[in-house]
Amino acid sequence: MNQSKKKMSLTLKITISLVLGIIAGLLLQDHAYIAVDYIKPIGTIYLNLIKMIVVPVVLLSITQGIISLQDVRKVGTIGLRTVVYYLFTTALAVTVGLVFANVLQVGAGYVLPGDELSYTATEAPSFIDTIVGIFPSNFFSPLVEANMLQVIVLSLFMGFGIILAGEKGEMAVKVVDSFTEVALKIMGMIIQLSAIGVFALICPVVAQNGPAVLLPLLKVILVAYVGYIIHIAVVYSVSVKLLAGMSPVKFFKGMSQAMLFAFSSASSVGTLPFNLEATQKLGARKEIASFVLPLGATINMDGTAIYQGVCAIFIAQIFGIDLTLGQQITIILTATLASIGTAGVPGSGVIMLAMVLQSVGLPLEGIALVAGIDRILDMGRTVVNITGDAACTICVDALDLKHERKKHMQ
Ligand code: ASP
């Protein structure tokens, strides 16, 4: 069976198991303990495995991406373009979320349940502390603690160090190449378990909460998805067309499988192998894709940013809090930062939502309300996240090619 057929059938399997998980959850409503005691642990094992492999995949693939660019200055130019694209589109994404949540009155008609609200979040660090915290004081602790921003800094230093070591670094190049392949293969094996994992994750949520948790929040889901779709259709179409001259139809056709997989797996890092294949088929060079994509899977989360904007407004509206323009601008800034700090694994966006709410003094208890439907919101935001990474890859690749051609003509 060819590679893409295999991936297609896995995506289909995951989608079916998601539906089956919901049905099983509905059937187990009166015996929720079965789902919680026996099925949920399987989902936890699956999530743990994804988290286990995320650090090696990100560390190695970004290091490998840098090494394959071969030139520190080139990494600088490509890195700068990538980060500017990522930050700009993420800020745009939060704005999209805020605008749609305001216009469509996402919280209107919702009645607060009152008694079942409880959520404890840890205090968010200040902006300066966040910046200082990106730089590790120990080589191994970022890996052990899975501090993804610190892992990126490590990868940058490793990559640069290996390039600068020249001939003497050749052994390291081979080691990184070989281990990257190994890490991606391990990721592939874990991804094969997605069908079981997805079933085991959704079933207890439905069994415990039932449709009761879903219906009042239907509007949040709708508004978030409107934001996701508009952002994908407008921002990525325009950027691939303008910056890379690629027809948006071609782009989305090429991306369809990776998008479908992101939807069913809700993990950007898990979708990395699909995204690497899709962007290269669309013409991006391997060395660009293997630098821009893993970086994006870790720091670029436009879908998460939209979701955070929508949830912030939802929580403000249901608690009857009017947010000033200044506060909404603060949300744009903090949600952009929060989405950078969100790891590309299922469910991490909801954790970073606390930081956004805290920045404007919104009640953290609101998170408990949206947490019940997080999987549904997560699936869509992950699609946006990985499509943004791919659009950036296509654009950065095209800009770099243009630059190279110009250099050769001189
Ligand atoms: N699940 C998302 C991702 O992997 C992150 C999030 O929870 O927002 O891209």
Side-chain angles (χ1 to χ4, degrees), residues 323-399:
L323 291 174
T324 62
L325 190 63
Q327 281 175 313
Q328 303 215 23
I329 291 172
T330 307
I331 293 180
I332 296 179
L333 293 178
T334 44
T336 304
L337 289 179
S339 70
I340 293 173
T342 306
V345 296
S348 53
V350 75
I351 300 164
M352 299 306 280
L353 181 59
M355 177 174 154
V356 179
L357 299 184
Q358 247 163 359
S359 70
V360 286
L362 285 172
L364 294 177
E365 292 78 12
I367 296 178
L369 295 174
V370 282
I373 51 157
D374 191 56
R375 181 81 198 181
I376 297 164
L377 295 169
D378 197 3
M379 290 162 66
R381 63 186 190 244
T382 309
V383 175
V384 187
N385 292 346
I386 66 108
T387 312
D389 302 340
C392 179
T393 308
I394 300 294
C395 295
V396 168
D397 183 64
L399 290 175

Side-chain angles (χ1 to χ4, degrees), residues 51-98:
K51 287 182 190 158
M52 170 193 84
I53 199 62
V54 159
V55 170
V57 165
V58 170
L59 175 78
L60 290 160
S61 51
I62 295 182
T63 308
Q64 192 210 28
I66 292 172
I67 300 171
S68 51
L69 289 171
Q70 284 172 350
D71 168 357
V72 174
R73 283 217 353 235
K74 189 163 179 180
V75 179
T77 324
I78 291 178
L80 187 71
R81 284 186 184 142
T82 304
V83 170
V84 168
Y85 181 97
Y86 282 162
L87 285 180
F88 181 71
T89 49
T90 305
L92 217 60
V94 198
T95 315
V96 166
L98 289 177

Side-chain angles (χ1 to χ4, degrees), residues 5 86 117 181:
K5 261 198 189 143
Y86 282 162
L117 290 181
E181 203 47 43

